Amino acid sequence: MLQRAQVRITRRLEGELLIVHDLPLASYDVLMQLAEAPRRRLRMNDLADRVLLSRSGLTRLIDRLQRDGLVTREACADDARGLFAVLTDLGADRLADATPTYLRGVKGEFADLLEPGELAQMRTMLAKLA
């Protein structure tokens, strides 16, 4: 049941983000993670862990985001093999445009369907799981 709910919610969120902003949900997640990071940048390995993508999957996604000007890559000064993904100003603007759509979708597909007491219980349960 949990998997069905997760799939239903993410499909609808992704659909709205694609229709309104031409932005897949995975791309939104990457932009959001970078926006919340210090200096708007994360090591690629850390970013892959946060967005639950394989390293190769993240590399392909970052390639697309870089082509669109939403992120850049920077070499890591203390590790010649390390790379940072960095949110650009254009990426931050695109995220800011898409965030109201994302939040409206979460509210409509999740939060609005629960009673206030249920929502409080859900917060407690998700905190335990996270």
Side-chain angles (χ1 to χ4, degrees):
M1 191 177 316
L2 179 62
Q3 186 178 13
R4 283 190 197 129
Q6 183 262 336
V7 167
R8 183 185 61 78
I9 292 167
T10 56
R11 278 184 184 161
R12 289 188 180 162
L13 287 173
E14 173 134 48
E16 281 296 307
L17 287 171
L18 283 169
I19 289 167
V20 179
H21 305 283
D22 192 28
L23 191 67
L25 186 56
S27 297
Y28 178 86
D29 192 16
V30 166
L31 298 179
M32 184 180 64
Q33 295 297 327
L34 292 173
E36 292 176 349
R39 298 175 56 202
R40 299 190 329 189
R41 68 186 202 152
L42 287 168
R43 289 181 68 103
M44 291 287 285
N45 287 343
D46 295 334
L47 182 56
D49 290 342
R50 289 183 185 203
V51 298
L52 305 175
L53 287 174
S54 67
R55 280 152 185 69
S56 62
L58 178 64
T59 296
R60 288 190 298 274
L61 180 54
I62 292 295
D63 287 345
R64 288 190 298 273
L65 294 172
Q66 190 169 13
R67 276 194 306 271
D68 292 342
L70 305 179
V71 300
T72 60
R73 287 184 173 99
E74 285 181 6
C76 181
D78 60 343
D79 179 0
R81 297 173 302 158
L83 285 175
F84 287 99
V86 183
L87 183 67
T88 65
D89 290 340
L90 182 61
D93 291 345
R94 187 84 170 271
L95 177 65
D97 288 344
T99 294
T101 301
Y102 175 82
L103 294 175
R104 194 170 39 254
V106 169
K107 186 176 183 303
E109 296 297 328
F110 184 75
D112 285 350
L113 303 177
L114 301 174
E115 299 295 326
E118 293 171 327
L119 198 52
Q121 288 176 326
M122 182 63 68
R123 279 191 198 106
T124 301
M125 289 186 286
L126 290 175
K128 285 182 182 180
L129 296 173

